[in-house]
Amino acid sequence: MLMLVINIYYSGNNGAAKAFAKEMEESGLASLIRQEAGNLGYEYFYPFVDDETILLIDKWTDQKALDAHHQTPMMGQIAKLRSKYDLNMKVERYLSLPDNPSDDVFIRH
């Protein structure tokens, strides 16, 4: 299955990025996004080498689903939180490829 994958690196100072992710989860915003039509995943991760950055891996069925998400009132709430924590963002966009059976030799299940 093809999907649109958005990696967003949020960076700040003095733990701001982690506090942002914590508030996204505790406020229920992240959960609401996960329930949107077309959302296939919405998860935060911490890079091992950078304590001031978090990575959001955001997965959607297609651009149309992501565009619909961007039109929701939640986007205003998220923008306010980003401002509250004074975060910078770096964004990467990918289209997934179907699984390749020849990769199975390298993958432990």
Side-chain angles (χ1 to χ4, degrees), residues 27-98:
S27 71
L29 280 172
S31 180
L32 289 172
I33 293 167
R34 291 181 189 110
Q35 295 172 35
E36 286 185 72
N39 184 270
L40 301 173
Y42 192 89
E43 297 295 330
Y44 291 100
F45 297 89
Y46 302 120
F48 185 74
V49 296
D50 184 354
D51 285 340
E52 295 298 336
T53 297
I54 58 158
L55 167 62
L56 168 63
I57 301 178
D58 193 12
K59 300 175 187 175
W60 296 89
T61 53
D62 53 29
Q63 186 64 49
K64 183 178 175 182
L66 179 60
D67 289 344
H69 163 65
H70 285 156
Q71 298 304 313
T72 65
M74 282 183 284
M75 288 306 298
Q77 293 173 280
I78 295 168
K80 286 179 185 177
L81 283 181
R82 287 192 303 240
S83 292
K84 174 182 174 179
Y85 291 104
D86 193 26
L87 298 177
N88 296 310
M89 299 165 59
K90 181 178 107 178
V91 179
E92 301 170 339
R93 297 172 52 92
Y94 302 97
L95 286 177
S96 67
L97 297 173

Side-chain angles (χ1 to χ4, degrees), residues 100-109:
N100 185 338
S102 66
D103 292 339
D104 285 346
V105 69
F106 302 104
I107 299 171
R108 183 176 180 188
H109 297 278

